[in-house]
Amino acid sequence: MSPTPSPAPLRLGIAGLGTVGIGVVKIVQNHPDLIALRSGRPVQITAICARDRTRNRDADLSGYAWVDRASDLALRDDVDVVVELIGGDEGPARELIELALENGKDVVTANKALLAVHGQALAERAESRGRTIRFEAAVAGGIPVIKAMTESLAGNRIKRVMGVMNGTCNYILTRMQSAGLPYDTVFEEARRLGYLEADPTLDVGGIDASHKLAILASIAFGTRVAFEGVEIEGIERVSIDDISRAADMGYRIKLLGVAQMTGRGLEQRMSPCLVPCDSPLGQLEGGTNMVVIEGDAVGQIVLRGAGAGEGPTASAVMSDVVELARGVRMPVFGQPATTLGTPQPARTAVPAAYYLRLTLADKPGALAKVATVLGDAGISIDRMRQYGHASGAAPVLIVTHKTTPEAIDHAMQALPRTGVVEGDPVELRIEEV
Amino acid sequence: MSPTPSPAPLRLGIAGLGTVGIGVVKIVQNHPDLIALRSGRPVQITAICARDRTRNRDADLSGYAWVDRASDLALRDDVDVVVELIGGDEGPARELIELALENGKDVVTANKALLAVHGQALAERAESRGRTIRFEAAVAGGIPVIKAMTESLAGNRIKRVMGVMNGTCNYILTRMQSAGLPYDTVFEEARRLGYLEADPTLDVGGIDASHKLAILASIAFGTRVAFEGVEIEGIERVSIDDISRAADMGYRIKLLGVAQMTGRGLEQRMSPCLVPCDSPLGQLEGGTNMVVIEGDAVGQIVLRGAGAGEGPTASAVMSDVVELARGVRMPVFGQPATTLGTPQPARTAVPAAYYLRLTLADKPGALAKVATVLGDAGISIDRMRQYGHASGAAPVLIVTHKTTPEAIDHAMQALPRTGVVEGDPVELRIEEV
C-alpha cells in the first residue's frame, strides 16, 4: 500500500480534573496507539482547566496548556472537542458548553444534572450549528446505556426502561441487609467512606438517579427531558425491618427508577421498590449499576457494570471521544431535538403488587378490620404473615395481588382509622422485572 | 424552519426470509416513522429473495421485487445495503456478500460461521472499496455486544471476554438441572421443540458458540479471527451427576466461552465450566445469552438478553441498518482489517480451580492414593466430599485450589493407574467470573 497522509488528530480541551478528568488523561496517555487505530486518527489533549492548578493529580499534565477559566477552552483554536467534567446544572459548566457550541466545537460531558435541566435547549443549540453533545458517562458510569438506547435498539419501540443507577444508595441498602444495620448507621458509614455527594440528598433523596432516569426516558420515548415529571422518593424511610421482612418473602429492596409510556402519559418514578431476590436487579450488590431496557422486538436487555469511579466513567467519556474522532455526529437524544415530543407527565397508574407492613394491636377482630379495609379498596391479598405478639402488638406483612396505586393510597389512608393499626403502615411497590 | 429536501431513503435488499428475515421486514413495516427519525432518513425494503417464493410468511411482501438468485440483489441499482440472512460459511451467502461489496454496497449479516471462516478476507475486500460489513446479529442475538466492544469500550485494553452464547446448550443444561433429567432425554426434547440446528453438533458440540467467541476475540484483541485456534468441547459429556454434584458445591455448569490474551498468546476455549451459582453467569437460565467483557478502565461489564429468535435478532440487524442509514461506516472489526495482528494461538495455561469427580473403589488406602497423585502433580485440595459406599464404590468430589491445566492433565492420566479409581474421572474447569 502507498503511504496515506496521516489524518489530523482530534484535539481535546478538558475542563475539570477530578477523578473522571484524570481518568480520561490516563487513558489518552496509556493507549495512544489503540485509540488511534480504533478512531482512525490520533486523539490528543491540548488544553486543560481545573480549579486548583497546584494540586498533585497523579498524572503528568506538563504537555498541556493550562487555562484559568473553563470557558476559555471554548475559544481555543487548538481544541476540537470540549470535555466538560466540572458538574453542576448552572455556572461554569453550562457557560462552557454553550460557548463551545457557539464556537463550533462538539461537547462530551458527564453532567447529568445539566442535561436533565437544560438538555433540550442545549441539544437544539448544538444541532442548529451542526454540532453534538455526547454524554455516555452521564448515566450509569461505564455501562454503555446511552449508545444501547440511541443506536442498538433503534429498531425498537421502547416499552419500559428501568434501573438501579445510584451506586451509593445500592451500597447503603445492600450493606443494611448484609450487616443487619439501621439506615442511620450505614448512612454515616457511607459518608465516612466518601461515597456521598457534598449534598447527600442528591444521592439518598433519589435526585441524582432521577436525573439519569429522565435522560433515559427522553431517548426511550422520543420526548423532551422531563425531570420535573419524575415522582421521586429517596431511601431515607427504608427501615432495616422492611429489608429483613422483604427478604423473608423472597424480595430485595432497591432504589429503582422506572419510566414507561402509557395511554395516560409518561410515568417516571424513582422509589424504593421490592424486586424478586433471584432477578438480575435483585441480585445487584454494592455500588454496581444495572439498566433494564424492554423493546418490542428485542425483549429484555440487561446491562450491568460499575456506575461510577475513575476508570468506568472515563471509559464512557472516551467512547464518546472516539465516536467524534471517527466523525460520527448523532442527534443529542438520538433523533433531532426539534422532533422530540413534549411528554404528558402521568402519576403512576400501572398496577403492581404491593408489600404492606403494619403493626396490629392485640385486639379481637383486628385482622378482620384490616382485611375489610383492603377488600373495600378492591385489594386482594396474595400472601399474609402475622408475627408473634411479643410486645402486645404484632407486625403483619401483606403481599397484595396486582392493584392500582390509587387503591393502595385509599387503603393507606383508611387503615389508621380502623383503630387497630399502630403507627404508620408502610407500603412499597413490587416492581415486575 | 424552512422545509429541507427529504433525504433519500436507504434501500435494503434482503436475502433469506426465515425467522430473522421476516423479523426485519416486520420492523421496517411497523416502525417507519420511528426509524426515519432515528436514522435521519427513511429505510425501505426494495428487493427480497428466498428459496420458496410461495410459502406463507406472515408478512405482506407484495411491495418488494422478488429476485430468484440471492446474488442478483448485489447487482440491483435500487439496493444500497444487502442484508444477508441465508447462513452457511460458503455457497450463496459468501457469493452474495462478495458480489455486493464488488458493486459498492454495504452488507449487514447475521452469519457467524461465514465471518469466523472468511471474516478477514471479506473485511479487507470491504474496506479496500470504502464499504463495510456489519454483523451485530451474528453474536448473541439481540445483545448489543459488537457495538459495545468496537465502540463503547474503545478506550479500553480488553483483558478478557467470555460468555454463554448458545441458548440451546444453556436450555439443555438448565433443563437437566431443574428436571433432574439425563442429557439424552433433554437433547431429544430440545430436538422435538425445534431448538437444535439441522446439524445438532453445531449447537451441542460448541461450534456455533465458538464461531461467536472467535469473532469477539478478534475485536477485543485487534487480531484476525482465529476460529481454528479455539479449544472446543461440547456439552455431550456433561452428566446429570455432575450437574447435581456441582450444585451441591454451589456451582452451575455452563457452556462457557473464554478468550484472553496472555504472554504466551491468545487463549480461546469453549467448554463446559463451573461458575458460582450466585454469579451473573451462574444465574443465567434457559435460552438467554450473556457476555462478560473486562476492560482495563471500565472493569467488568455484563450484557444479558435473548440470544436468538425473530425479534431479538431482527433488532440487532436493524441496529446495523440504522447505522448505515446515518452514514456511519466503521471498519468491520473496529480497526482497519489490514492492521489486525495474527494471533499466536495458545493452549489454555491460565490457572484455575478445578472440579474433579471420580469413583473410588472400596479399598483401604484408596483415598490416600488419590491424594498422593494430586500432591505429586502439585495440586492442592480446597474441598473434598466422599459420598456413601452404597454400591461398593464411592463417588468422590474434589474442588482444587488454583492449578494449571497441565497439572490437571497429568493427574487425570495418573489417576486410573492407581488401581483404586473406577471408570474415567471427570474434570471441569471452574472459571472465575
Side-chain angles (χ1 to χ4, degrees), chain B residues 413-429:
Chain B
Q413 284 158 24
L415 282 171
R417 295 196 296 264
T418 56
V420 299
V421 172
E422 301 189 352
D424 288 331
V426 170
E427 49 90 7
L428 290 165
R429 189 174 166 94

Side-chain angles (χ1 to χ4, degrees), chain A residues 31 147 151 156 283 296, chain B residues 31 38 147 151 283 296:
Chain A
H31 295 323
K147 189 172 271 287
E151 303 177 27
N156 288 260
Q283 291 159 349
D296 63 349
Chain B
H31 295 323
R38 292 171 178 169
K147 189 172 270 288
E151 303 176 28
Q283 292 158 348
D296 63 349

Side-chain angles (χ1 to χ4, degrees), chain A residues 27 31 37-38 142 144 147 150-152 154-156 283 296-297 301-304 311-312 315 319 323 326 330 339, chain B residues 27 31 37-38 142 144 147 150-152 154-156 283 296-297 301-304 311-312 315 319 323 326 330 339:
Chain A
I27 292 179
H31 295 323
L37 271 174
R38 292 170 178 170
K147 189 172 271 287
T150 49
E151 303 177 27
S152 301
N156 288 260
Q283 291 159 349
D296 63 349
I301 291 283
V302 179
L303 310 173
R304 173 190 160 124
S315 168
S319 149
E323 286 285 285
R326 285 169 172 156
M330 296 251 307
T339 68
Chain B
I27 292 178
H31 295 323
L37 270 175
R38 292 171 178 169
K147 189 172 270 288
T150 49
E151 303 176 28
S152 300
N156 288 260
Q283 292 158 348
D296 63 349
I301 291 283
V302 178
L303 311 173
R304 172 189 161 123
S315 168
S319 149
E323 287 285 284
R326 284 167 173 158
M330 296 252 309
T339 67

Side-chain angles (χ1 to χ4, degrees), chain B residues 149-421:
Chain B
M149 300 266 293
T150 49
E151 303 176 28
S152 300
L153 303 182
N156 288 260
R157 185 170 297 284
I158 302 298
K159 294 153 67 177
R160 187 167 67 155
V161 55
M162 58 189 167
V164 169
M165 295 179 285
N166 182 284
T168 303
C169 288
N170 203 51
Y171 167 82
I172 290 175
L173 294 173
T174 51
R175 172 87 176 131
M176 284 171 72
Q177 165 152 31
S178 63
L181 291 170
Y183 174 80
D184 292 340
T185 308
V186 178
F187 176 87
E188 280 311 318
E189 193 179 280
R191 190 202 288 277
R192 279 197 309 277
L193 290 166
Y195 290 179
L196 285 159
E197 303 259 0
D199 173 4
T201 56
L202 287 176
D203 286 316
V204 297
I207 296 169
D208 167 80
S210 296
H211 286 147
K212 297 167 182 169
L213 182 69
I215 292 169
L216 290 186
S218 166
I219 300 169
F221 306 114
T223 49
R224 291 160 179 248
V225 180
F227 168 65
E228 70 288 352
V230 185
E231 295 176 74
I232 307 178
E233 183 186 324
I235 62 168
E236 302 97 329
R237 72 170 185 124
V238 176
S239 72
I240 179 65
D241 255 19
D242 286 316
I243 287 179
S244 309
R245 306 289 190 202
D248 283 357
M249 314 277 273
Y251 295 102
R252 296 281 179 272
I253 299 182
K254 298 287 171 193
L255 178 66
L256 187 65
V258 182
Q260 63 196 123
M261 188 64 80
T262 72
R264 299 152 45 101
L266 175 61
E267 292 187 9
Q268 301 177 95
R269 60 184 166 276
M270 178 65 59
S271 61
C273 288
L274 271 64
V275 294
C277 61
D278 57 358
S279 65
L281 279 166
Q283 292 158 348
L284 202 63
E285 304 274 311
T288 312
N289 279 202
M290 180 174 285
V291 181
V292 179
I293 313 168
E294 291 167 1
D296 63 349
V298 79
Q300 190 185 74
I301 291 283
V302 178
L303 311 173
R304 172 189 161 123
E310 175 181 305
T313 315
S315 168
V317 169
M318 285 309 298
S319 149
D320 287 340
V321 166
V322 168
E323 287 285 284
L324 292 170
R326 284 167 173 158
V328 176
R329 197 173 280 128
M330 296 252 309
V332 178
F333 292 103
Q335 65 184 63
T338 53
T339 67
L340 293 165
T342 301
Q344 174 68 38
R347 286 192 64 80
T348 297
V350 171
Y354 279 79
Y355 159 101
L356 309 178
R357 177 170 61 84
L358 36 93
T359 306
L360 213 55
D362 188 7
K363 295 180 187 171
L367 194 57
K369 286 190 179 171
V370 167
T372 302
V373 164
L374 296 179
D376 288 349
I379 297 168
S380 66
I381 295 173
D382 178 27
R383 284 185 287 160
M384 200 272 291
R385 276 190 199 178
Q386 180 169 336
Y387 290 78
H389 279 64
S391 62
V396 171
L397 300 189
I398 294 168
V399 172
T400 74
H401 281 293
K402 266 195 184 182
T403 183
T404 63
E406 286 93 330
I408 291 291
D409 286 349
H410 183 82
M412 294 300 283
Q413 284 158 24
L415 282 171
R417 295 196 296 264
T418 56
V420 299
V421 172

Side-chain angles (χ1 to χ4, degrees), chain B residues 88-141:
Chain B
D89 61 2
E90 296 294 345
R94 184 180 177 192
E95 195 186 324
L96 169 62
I97 292 178
E98 287 178 350
L99 203 59
L101 297 172
E102 292 299 334
N103 283 276
K105 302 185 193 310
D106 294 301
V107 171
V108 174
T109 178
N111 193 330
K112 60 225 89 171
L114 181 69
L115 289 166
V117 179
H118 300 296
Q120 181 66 26
L122 291 172
E124 289 184 18
R125 188 183 286 238
E127 290 167 23
S128 69
R129 285 163 180 76
R131 296 291 126 186
T132 195
I133 304 168
R134 299 189 64 99
F135 52 89
E136 185 64 82
V139 179

Side-chain angles (χ1 to χ4, degrees), chain B residues 53-122:
Chain B
R53 190 162 165 168
T54 57
R55 199 171 121 208
N56 181 2
R57 285 194 172 81
D58 183 28
D60 177 9
L61 306 173
S62 60
Y64 315 138
W66 273 87
V67 304
D68 286 327
R69 290 191 321 163
S71 58
D72 290 347
L73 292 174
L75 306 173
R76 292 180 68 97
D77 289 337
D78 62 356
V79 168
D80 302 309
V81 173
V82 165
V83 180
E84 184 278 301
L85 301 170
I86 303 169
D89 61 2
E90 296 294 345
R94 184 180 177 192
E95 195 186 324
L96 169 62
I97 292 178
E98 287 178 350
L99 203 59
L101 297 172
E102 292 299 334
N103 283 276
K105 302 185 193 310
D106 294 301
V107 171
V108 174
T109 178
N111 193 330
K112 60 225 89 171
L114 181 69
L115 289 166
V117 179
H118 300 296
Q120 181 66 26
L122 291 172

